[in-house]
Amino acid sequence: MPRHPSTSRFAILGALEWEGPLSGYHIRAWIKGSVSHFWSESFGQVYPTLERLHSERLIEPAHTEQGPRRATIWRITAAGRAALAAWLRTPAAPPTPRLEWLLKCMLSHHDPIATAAHVNGVQHAAESQLRALHAAAELVTQQEHDPRRRAHALLTIAAGRLAAEARLAWVAEARRTLELDTESEAPSDARRASKPRTTP
Amino acid sequence: MPRHPSTSRFAILGALEWEGPLSGYHIRAWIKGSVSHFWSESFGQVYPTLERLHSERLIEPAHTEQGPRRATIWRITAAGRAALAAWLRTPAAPPTPRLEWLLKCMLSHHDPIATAAHVNGVQHAAESQLRALHAAAELVTQQEHDPRRRAHALLTIAAGRLAAEARLAWVAEARRTLELDTESEAPSDARRASKPRTTP
DNA sequence: CGCGGCATATATCTGAATGATATATTGGGA
DNA sequence: TCCCAATATATCATTCAGATATATGCCGCG
């Protein structure tokens, strides 16, 4: 995934610009809570990157809590803002695709049962993502009052929604072209035990 | 992306099962040429993984070209087929999202020009992907005669098409909600030079 | 009151993966 | 003939995820 320059650097700068000063822990919490539908960072990436950004003067400690609950709160500097703005004016690198579910669907051409399970998995994942995105959109609408920030945040949610709906459309097409034991539409009730969970 | 067990292993086994015996070079060429819309591998991953698969008896050399054009042609073994089938019956791990274009769109809320550039970039990428997928679908239709292999291959292409169309729908929604200098629809002719390429 | 569990907070390591670079050789086209 | 693209493999630095380790404060439950 890495085409040399780290993108984590800019995600972290972006978190600090969007939310104001934060600790490493809360940077990661924001990414996990607010932009998880299109971005992710791990702690193993956040803390070393903060050190590096600090040594480059792109962030600075706003203050450090002493005592047992010690935490460094980081603030973006003017240089950091400039670096972020420069990166934002740069075209986005195309993602290197790695969609395990599609690889499995293609290679399962021998095995209709496995294929059906993957199609069901895609459906369930897309449905639960749609529910999560709906909740996220409500939250943004209630809490974000700046019109531009709100519009941009809602647009990222819309992107997730459209992508999830596209996956549901694909599920329908898959069930149509292959002829699968659908196990969707759930006509009435309890033949639940028919799909045992495979524990990998 | 790596949740410890390497997925490259199975992509390579899958290539050998789908296409028959291949050299490392041609495994990579197949991935780049036939499944690039949902998978990718680098040489730096292919060759060490082949060694590992060989040491585990999941693949074996079909024969080795001597002389200057030396190349090891690898074949999947019965054990390899079994390992692949077991993996295929396992639910796909959810992808860890990292969509640089969405991160940039969200963080560009200050900068309508950068935002418009990213929206245009998404549009152009989606359009060129749709053209590529159209060509890929024609190729599969002409060359793949086994009905199940053909159906599964076309389904992966359909997934790419639906995702690209969803991105185009997002572009339209973005242009509607933000109010952007669109530079799309191209009503007549030559004001082409208005978008200088930024060289990063 | 004590204790367990959860949130806060940071550090570190392994293994996976990309993309670049290096090194050969062969065949075809200008 | 000469150069470039394709064939073919190997290796390296860097990025990144995810697991694990280590503290502590706070809250509720019995």
Side-chain angles (χ1 to χ4, degrees), chain A residues 39-58:
Chain A
W39 202 257
S40 67
E41 289 294 342
S42 61
F43 284 127
Q45 200 63 8
V46 167
Y47 288 108
T49 303
L50 284 171
E51 289 306 317
R52 206 172 135 194
L53 290 169
H54 184 208
S55 78
E56 296 170 22
R57 311 286 171 204
L58 303 181

Side-chain angles (χ1 to χ4, degrees), chain B residues 149-177:
Chain B
R149 286 164 57 102
R150 186 210 283 240
H152 281 249
L154 287 178
L155 262 186
T156 68
I157 292 173
R161 177 175 46 77
L162 289 164
E165 287 168 354
R167 286 200 296 283
L168 289 180
W170 177 85
V171 166
E173 186 164 331
R175 293 217 175 100
R176 218 181 310 121
T177 46

